[in-house]
Amino acid sequence: MASIELRNIRKSFGAVNVIKGVDLEVRKGEFMVFVGPSGCGKSTLLRLISGLEDITSGEMLFDGKVVNALTPSKRGIAMVFQSYALYPHMTVYENMAFGLKLEKGNSKEAIRERVEKAADMLQIRQYLDRLPKQLSGGQRQRVAIGRAITRDPKVFLFDEPLSNLDAALRVATRIEIAKLHEGMHDVTMIYVTHDQVEAMTLADRICVLRDGLVEQVGTPMELYEKPDSIFVAGFIGSPKMNFLTGEKAEAFKCATLGVRGEHMLVKPDGIWEGEVIHTENLGADTYVYLEMGQEEPIVVRLEGAMQHPSGSKLRVSPMEDRVHRFDEAGKPIR
Amino acid sequence: MASIELRNIRKSFGAVNVIKGVDLEVRKGEFMVFVGPSGCGKSTLLRLISGLEDITSGEMLFDGKVVNALTPSKRGIAMVFQSYALYPHMTVYENMAFGLKLEKGNSKEAIRERVEKAADMLQIRQYLDRLPKQLSGGQRQRVAIGRAITRDPKVFLFDEPLSNLDAALRVATRIEIAKLHEGMHDVTMIYVTHDQVEAMTLADRICVLRDGLVEQVGTPMELYEKPDSIFVAGFIGSPKMNFLTGEKAEAFKCATLGVRGEHMLVKPDGIWEGEVIHTENLGADTYVYLEMGQEEPIVVRLEGAMQHPSGSKLRVSPMEDRVHRFDEAGKPIR
Amino acid sequence: MAPVGTAATPKIRSELMLQRVRAARWFLVPMMIALAIVAGWPLTRSIWFSFTDATLNDLYGAEWVGFGNYLRWQVLESGTVRYRGVLADPDWWNAVWNTVRFAFWSVLWETVLGMIVALVLNAEFRGRGIVRAAILIPWAIPTIVSARMWGWMLNDQFGIINDLGMKLGLLSAPVAWTASADTAMTAVLIVDIWKTTPFMALLILAGLQMIPKDIYEAADIDGVHPVKQFFRITLPLVRPALMVAIIFRVLDALRIFDLIYVLTPNSRSTKTMSVLAQENLFQFNNFAEGSTQSTLLFLLIAIFTILYIWIGKVNFEGGDR
Amino acid sequence: MGATFDYWKLTKTVLFYALVLVIVVVSVFPFYYAILTSLKSGTDLFRVTYWPTSISFDNFRQVFSQGAFPRNLLNSVFVASVTVILALFLAVTASFALSRVRFRGRGLLLMTILAVSMFPQIAVLAGLFEVIRFLGIYNTPWALIFAYTIFTLPFTVWVLTTFMRDLPVEIEEAAIVDGATPWVIITQVFMPLMWPALVTTGLLAFIAAWNEFLFALTFTVSNETRTVPVAIALLSGGSQYEIPWGIIMAASVVVTVPLVALVLVFQRKIVSGLTAGGVKG
Amino acid sequence: AELSIVSGDTGSGLAFLRSQLDRFEADTGHTVTVVPMPSSTTDQFGQYRLWLAAGNSDIDVYQTDVIWAPQLADQFLDLSEAAADVVGNHFPSIIESQTVDGKLVALPAFTDAPALYYRTDLLEKHGKSVPETWAELETTAMEIMEAERAEGNSEIWGFVFQGNAYEGLTCDALEWVMSNGGGQIVEPDGTISINNDQAAAAIDRAAGWVGTIAPEGVLAYMEEESRGVWQLGNAVFMRNWPYAYALGNGDDSAVKGKFDVAPLPAGDGEGARSAATLGGWNVAVSKYSPDPEAAIELAKFLASEEVQKERAIQQSNLPTIPSLYEDADVLEASPFMENWKAIFEQAVPRPSAPTKTDYNEVSSLFWSAVHDTLSGNGSAAENLEILEADLQDLKGDAW
Ligand SMILES: Nc1ncnc2c1ncn2[C@@H]1O[C@H](COP(=O)(O)OP(=O)(O)OP(=O)(O)O)[C@@H](O)[C@H]1O
Ligand SMILES: Nc1ncnc2c1ncn2[C@@H]1O[C@H](COP(=O)(O)OP(=O)(O)OP(=O)(O)O)[C@@H](O)[C@H]1O
Ligand SMILES: [Mg+2]
Ligand SMILES: [Mg+2]
């Protein structure tokens, strides 16, 4: 129901400038994911959008109206806090039902139904009567999510909502959130995550933040395939993109050459040779770290569980059409 | 310096049995990772090992000596808490130096040196004078890690220490922890994580917990390749292993057939046909979800960014040598 | 008094637990010793005196009289039974009623006003420090002074309260606040509430300050109206602090002495149990009776406290690991 | 910044400050009146005025010339400070035991401590008098310090116990893992987090000790050991029935000012959010 | 020896005491410390009782109110022998009031008796004479008050006295009763005499004053409140102690030079006469004094004629030695003492001697009964009847 526009938003805590002028438009019904290094200002930006934190300068618009001064409750948002912020004196049920009870016109049964539905979805049905302090970390996090989704807001703000969940649950919850979003076309979602998979799969668009500024906004594929800067290239994708400089880059007529681990082919006639210094075996894939005279070792992703003993040499080539070339300033050459 | 042995350890909170008889040996200098669904008791087990929580019954041995009654400080452990548990009134520096100051015989300079070294490693040097409340979630988590590693314990206990870090930092910190472990052959590490990559790459052995019991202990590859149960098979690996029942399983002479997404091949002459219901594009890989008349859709991992429009049909085959066959009881048939 | 270290659960206690229990014992012992010396002997003695015929002229020659000071009876020749003793004394029951009435109203008002003041002080505004100091002034003025000061201010002829009331049109004629039986209690209540609201406010304020801030943020997001936030979040979370503040206020109010002693020492409508007891102990030659009254007051307060803790579900547990 | 001028917000601000004003006026007015009175003398005392008409510091001069008022002030400072320090020391440690260590009979113990506060003060006077004479501290400041624990200790123990119960367990556990003993936990971890409670109970207990009259009167018999409230009661007019209002008010003003200063200094510690950022949950 | 004396005396009184003690020290070689006490007599009394009960040996000599000595008789030394030589010099009634069961428990230091203060200017203005009976006072007060109010002096009242429920009311009411021929509550032989018609009539009359010639608030007045009203010029008559005399003539007093004193009015029944309650202070020696000889010496010194004379001159305290009222030095310094001689001749002691340790309770019962009547809770007759029964209970077989 709400489109959100940020115009040159700044935020400082005392002398510390945290958000340094962000312009951003989140479209109505869009699923926007914020990513960026720890401490870059994601949570702060989310809190500014929620209205919990005062904006130092700039304008925040919801549906075209300035909301700088609007209280959080008037903005029609639901939020999952990075620190959970559960009500310590309420049971899980009460925590989740609290917002609903206060809205007028919700019958007791309707509330119970909604809470239980959310609890089922998050697999915390059996903990409804417990207090937060009697829960495990992941359970607390689920309560925090549950509290947000039982309500019916125009905007959802999620701050790393799945960070403490196990892989299976994380996938399940991720899918539930995606469904939630699909089911409610009007609802705008803003989602902070460090998980590449979450970002790539959930986002309509991803906003990469760096040090209080927007680095690039785009669909996941755009960011993956056409990063606007070395920073974005390095940040999106796991394992991190390999960057090569010096001779090897010059051969491709650029200052820095970026090649993702998955775009490296091990070939006997590979153009680069490296020494295996470390192998990581993930079951489905193996990451091989090659020493190639670069600042950091070069990662090559191989399918399946491979054994390349440390110290052995390997020749690799980048897929020519998947390399990323960057100039001195870190901007892509296309 | 310490081998840790758990003998039929149980723990209950009031009437709630949380740990239901765990036998486990962690070898001296080993890197043991605990994984398991949220709420299965990982943190509790860690706390039992740390001595913070009293053991309800069973025996805990460090280096062959019963330590049931020993205080945490006498066990020589350092711990990173899932909820950080920073001292709110102390600066980052003080938080990290507190334990050192309490130990006798540490000179001021020595403390500063150690703290600064850890801070550099965790990239929090510039926050040393801040209070925890002035930090971002990820920064807090790093302080918590820093606090543990500045000390010089025999046993490290990490409870999801990287969950709030961004991918790059996570890899970096993971590598630091691995280095730490390599550098100190005597130090035993127990590490709780939900991250498959962390578990697979860091662990000497992984212990899969389920509902207060040990489900399987083994090296990452053992678990990946020879899971002892459907549960472990489903839990290790991302995306989750596909399980097929009914006819399709019977064809392989088992009650349940497990095939990982990466072990499915799309072939025109694939033995199974499914309808694409969803595609997830992660850049390096694409997950295609196929409807095949099973309880859950079947995931197939394809390399690179592929487009398979929803609704189109796809034929796939499992790699015959990579299938997992389970009997009615969920035990593997080998 | 209560065994500390000996309380062990059947299972073996870890050294951590033992260390804590040992520490607990060392921490409790000095306090218990201090309390036992300072309070043990005087209390036992007072209670003992209540069972004797002690007078202040002859404390050490007191003889045991059993429950006589509480209640004794005498069968007259006519056959009617005459009850004597504190429990049969209408003055005592009048004092009980005065005390209870006083305690109820004063604590009620102090709680409400204290809460309001605490909420105001909890807000961030310029000059908050000065206001906090100002608030505490009523509590800081010695009771003997403030009671007399108020006596002066409430005077019908040259009291400023009457003057103000008349000037503002609230009173039509000067009221002799402390003199008239109808207003004496009100006067005492006004002074007490004025004097002790800061106590309440400060304790509640401390409670408010300990509440984590982030759950208010969650409540803001949940769209909880500030009033609802107060009742559903603030109140439950300051409850422990509030409960303790109320307990101590009620205890003090039930033992109220100096204020009434100075303001309306001999008015029947304000005479409280403590005042009555003081009279008997030191002014009249009824030391035993005064001790009896003190003991009864103690019992009454104890019963009240137990009820309060039970009904208010004051929690002794929690917080421990 | 704000595009529209928010009238509601303004009204709220105005109302809020009006409330603050009311609270301050009600609290301070009698004190103001006391100051007013302290500047008057003679028959003027019986006249109602709202502003100082004539200012004379005679009464203040008198306060310091009669008896040993400065000495009494020092006594009060000493007695109240030591009482509070002692009470806080005993209470902080005891409340750690009572709030954080599980042992049987804890509830009973708390009740016993409370029971001490249930006895009317006048009733313990005689017994306390005997104890104090027995200990040989009669007519010394220690008699008062000792006697005051009877009301400061239960209060501080209960309040601090309540507050300590609410501190996050995780932080204590972190300290345990760091090798902190209970003593270190109390002094270096808990106390800084309990400033609001400590300062509040400290202030309240300080003022209670500062203002105590009955014990002070009974347990001291010389001007050199007496405290301020007794000294005020000793201030007298020219003859038996005459109450020296002006001087009493002047003395009250004199003894209240240090307390106000004390509050001003310490109230800074009554800040919120001390535990913020420590744990999540 | 090292002696210590407690005194609840006021500022200048203490200074005076000190100066006398200095003399005493010089004369005898003893040293004396003064322990000042708050001026509230109830506080003092409670304190002294506690100290004495606990056998406190820190205090040797006590300054006591007239009504205390009998109550504390057990713990004071008998001074009759030691003071046999000087006893005859004092007013016999005062010596009597300090004698319990033949034991002289305290020596009188000075005495006190109230008077009727009246406004000479107003009486003159309205052509009235000083009232000699309560009835006259009533009408005079009423007339002047109404006339003055009509002239716009809306604050004026006819008569102020001490109506609060406290010892002062016992004094006031004893005067009403006694002056009306109603006895002295408990007679010297111990009989309870209060329940009689004359006493009831006297108290009823006083009840009639409240709200008419006296403000309602008088029910809460003690000495200072009455003096406040008086000194602002807002009362025609006042019953008060001598201390108000000097203060009323202070520079800032509205009634300076406009008032005088007279004996309190008499009643109108049989045996009616002016009566003034006997106040005053005495010195007693603690039984627990480590050095009783020296302590007695001090007590005698403080009660001696020369100290009393100095006291009368410097402190305007009324001596207990009749001859001093004729002393020229005294009269020169405090000419008003002339007036008080007449008043003092009418003085009646409160029944502290016969009721002994129960005096305070007797007094409390009495003032409560009177206060009830004044506040309109029952008539005097009803209240006195109950009072009699209560006193009888208290008395038991004997006081
Ligand atoms: N104080 C308590 N009282 C009752 N149950 C508790 C208490 N503490 C924990 N539990 C329960 O014990 C179980 C195990 O908790 P634990 O914290 O060990 O889980 P975990 O494996 O660490 O989970 P997560 O991955 O979510 O952190 C959970 O189901 C939790 O609800
Ligand atoms: N109260 C404060 N005072 C000063 N600096 C602050 C304060 N709160 C946050 N910061 C700083 O602002 C920056 C942004 O914080 P924020 O919480 O938005 O980061 P984030 O992007 O959410 O990081 P993370 O991924 O670690 O949660 C951080 O560097 C943090 O240290
Ligand atoms: Mg964050
Ligand atoms: Mg956990």
Side-chain angles (χ1 to χ4, degrees), chain C residues 96-117:
Chain C
V96 171
W97 171 234
N98 281 341
T99 312
V100 170
R101 209 160 42 124
F102 170 82
F104 177 79
W105 287 114
S106 67
V107 175
L108 184 72
W109 278 104
E110 280 157 30
T111 310
V112 172
L113 295 176
M115 183 62 88
I116 292 172
V117 173

Side-chain angles (χ1 to χ4, degrees), chain A residues 135-139 164, chain B residues 37-44 46-47 82-83 159-160 192 194:
Chain A
L135 297 179
S136 78
Q139 288 160 349
N164 283 105
Chain B
S38 168
C40 69
K42 303 177 295 295
S43 298
T44 307
L46 219 56
R47 292 163 54 80
Q82 192 170 8
S83 63
D159 201 348
E160 308 194 25
V192 174
H194 286 309

